[in-house]
Amino acid sequence: MPKKLESHKANKGGLLKRRRALRASREEGAGNGSDYRQRIRANKVARGSKKNGCLPKLFMLVVPFITVGAYLILGL
């Protein structure tokens, strides 16, 4: 009896490997899953890099004054 169980376990391991390989090849061929994942990652990155707050807005307001001041000081 133990030989049957051992052979069954060995066969089951081989089946799992084949299933994983088939699944991986299907996912690569279709490309739908990976595109979806890439969009999700892009959204997460975009959300993380959003500049919400007061400082970026104030900086953008001050930039023209800095450029005009530099122009006048340098006398170009």
Side-chain angles (χ1 to χ4, degrees), residues 11-55:
N11 192 16
K12 188 174 181 180
L15 287 174
L16 288 175
K17 287 181 183 177
R18 278 188 245 138
R19 285 183 189 167
R20 287 180 189 157
L22 286 172
R23 189 179 328 150
S25 66
R26 266 189 268 139
E27 286 178 359
E28 287 177 16
N32 295 336
S34 62
D35 291 340
Y36 176 74
R37 287 186 197 121
Q38 287 176 353
R39 282 185 285 168
I40 295 297
R41 286 183 192 140
N43 287 340
K44 286 181 181 179
V45 168
R47 272 190 251 135
S49 65
K50 277 188 180 176
K51 296 180 180 178
N52 295 332
C54 191
L55 287 176

Side-chain angles (χ1 to χ4, degrees), residues 55-75:
L55 287 176
K57 294 174 186 171
L58 286 175
F59 179 73
M60 292 307 293
L61 281 172
V62 173
V63 166
F65 294 109
I66 292 172
T67 55
V68 170
Y71 179 78
L72 292 175
I73 289 173
L74 294 176

